[in-house]
Short mmCIF file of all heavy atoms in Angstrom, two decimals:
data_model
loop_
_atom_site.label_atom_id
_atom_site.label_comp_id
_atom_site.label_asym_id
_atom_site.label_seq_id
_atom_site.Cartn_x
_atom_site.Cartn_y
_atom_site.Cartn_z
N SER A 61 22.38 6.14 -5.07
CA SER A 61 23.24 7.22 -5.57
C SER A 61 22.94 7.51 -7.04
O SER A 61 23.03 8.65 -7.48
CB SER A 61 24.72 6.88 -5.37
OG SER A 61 25.14 5.86 -6.25
N ALA A 62 22.57 6.49 -7.80
CA ALA A 62 22.26 6.69 -9.22
C ALA A 62 21.09 7.64 -9.42
O ALA A 62 21.01 8.34 -10.44
CB ALA A 62 21.99 5.34 -9.88
N VAL A 63 20.19 7.70 -8.45
CA VAL A 63 19.04 8.60 -8.53
C VAL A 63 19.50 10.05 -8.63
O VAL A 63 18.87 10.88 -9.28
CB VAL A 63 18.11 8.40 -7.31
CG1 VAL A 63 17.04 9.47 -7.24
CG2 VAL A 63 17.50 7.02 -7.35
N LEU A 64 20.62 10.38 -8.00
CA LEU A 64 21.11 11.76 -7.98
C LEU A 64 21.58 12.22 -9.35
O LEU A 64 21.79 13.42 -9.56
CB LEU A 64 22.22 11.90 -6.94
CG LEU A 64 21.82 11.55 -5.52
CD1 LEU A 64 23.00 11.68 -4.58
CD2 LEU A 64 20.65 12.39 -5.04
N GLU A 65 21.75 11.30 -10.27
CA GLU A 65 22.13 11.66 -11.64
C GLU A 65 20.91 12.06 -12.47
O GLU A 65 21.06 12.61 -13.55
CB GLU A 65 22.86 10.50 -12.31
CG GLU A 65 24.18 10.17 -11.65
CD GLU A 65 24.86 8.97 -12.26
OE1 GLU A 65 24.60 8.66 -13.44
OE2 GLU A 65 25.65 8.32 -11.57
N ASN A 66 19.72 11.76 -11.97
CA ASN A 66 18.48 12.05 -12.68
C ASN A 66 18.20 13.56 -12.62
O ASN A 66 17.99 14.11 -11.55
CB ASN A 66 17.33 11.26 -12.05
CG ASN A 66 16.01 11.49 -12.72
OD1 ASN A 66 15.86 12.37 -13.55
ND2 ASN A 66 15.04 10.69 -12.35
N PRO A 67 18.16 14.23 -13.76
CA PRO A 67 17.92 15.68 -13.75
C PRO A 67 16.52 16.06 -13.28
O PRO A 67 16.28 17.21 -12.92
CB PRO A 67 18.13 16.10 -15.21
CG PRO A 67 17.97 14.86 -16.00
CD PRO A 67 18.36 13.71 -15.10
N TYR A 68 15.58 15.10 -13.24
CA TYR A 68 14.22 15.39 -12.79
C TYR A 68 14.04 15.16 -11.29
O TYR A 68 12.98 15.46 -10.75
CB TYR A 68 13.21 14.56 -13.58
CG TYR A 68 13.31 14.83 -15.05
CD1 TYR A 68 13.86 13.90 -15.91
CD2 TYR A 68 12.89 16.05 -15.58
CE1 TYR A 68 13.97 14.16 -17.28
CE2 TYR A 68 12.99 16.33 -16.93
CZ TYR A 68 13.53 15.38 -17.77
OH TYR A 68 13.65 15.64 -19.10
N SER A 69 15.05 14.63 -10.64
CA SER A 69 14.96 14.42 -9.20
C SER A 69 14.85 15.77 -8.50
O SER A 69 15.56 16.72 -8.83
CB SER A 69 16.21 13.69 -8.69
OG SER A 69 16.22 13.66 -7.28
N ALA A 70 13.95 15.86 -7.53
CA ALA A 70 13.75 17.10 -6.78
C ALA A 70 14.53 17.11 -5.47
O ALA A 70 14.49 18.10 -4.74
CB ALA A 70 12.26 17.29 -6.49
N LEU A 71 15.24 16.03 -5.16
CA LEU A 71 15.94 15.92 -3.87
C LEU A 71 16.87 17.11 -3.63
O LEU A 71 17.72 17.42 -4.46
CB LEU A 71 16.75 14.63 -3.79
CG LEU A 71 15.99 13.39 -3.37
CD1 LEU A 71 16.93 12.18 -3.39
CD2 LEU A 71 15.35 13.54 -2.02
N GLU A 72 16.68 17.74 -2.48
CA GLU A 72 17.51 18.86 -2.07
C GLU A 72 18.32 18.53 -0.81
O GLU A 72 19.40 19.07 -0.61
CB GLU A 72 16.65 20.10 -1.79
CG GLU A 72 15.93 20.61 -3.01
CD GLU A 72 14.95 21.72 -2.69
OE1 GLU A 72 14.81 22.10 -1.49
OE2 GLU A 72 14.31 22.22 -3.63
N LYS A 73 17.76 17.68 0.03
CA LYS A 73 18.43 17.33 1.29
C LYS A 73 18.41 15.82 1.44
O LYS A 73 17.37 15.18 1.33
CB LYS A 73 17.72 17.97 2.48
CG LYS A 73 18.36 17.63 3.81
CD LYS A 73 17.63 18.28 4.98
CE LYS A 73 18.28 17.90 6.30
NZ LYS A 73 17.55 18.48 7.43
N LEU A 74 19.59 15.25 1.71
CA LEU A 74 19.73 13.82 1.86
C LEU A 74 20.53 13.53 3.13
O LEU A 74 21.66 13.99 3.27
CB LEU A 74 20.45 13.25 0.63
CG LEU A 74 20.62 11.75 0.52
CD1 LEU A 74 19.26 11.03 0.57
CD2 LEU A 74 21.33 11.40 -0.78
N ASP A 75 19.92 12.80 4.06
CA ASP A 75 20.57 12.44 5.31
C ASP A 75 20.92 10.96 5.27
O ASP A 75 20.04 10.11 5.28
CB ASP A 75 19.66 12.74 6.50
CG ASP A 75 20.36 12.55 7.84
OD1 ASP A 75 21.44 11.92 7.90
OD2 ASP A 75 19.81 13.04 8.85
#
Side-chain angles (χ1 to χ4, degrees):
S61 71
V63 170
L64 301 178
E65 296 177 25
N66 180 349
Y68 301 107
S69 171
L71 276 178
E72 296 173 359
K73 179 180 179 182
L74 184 58
D75 187 345

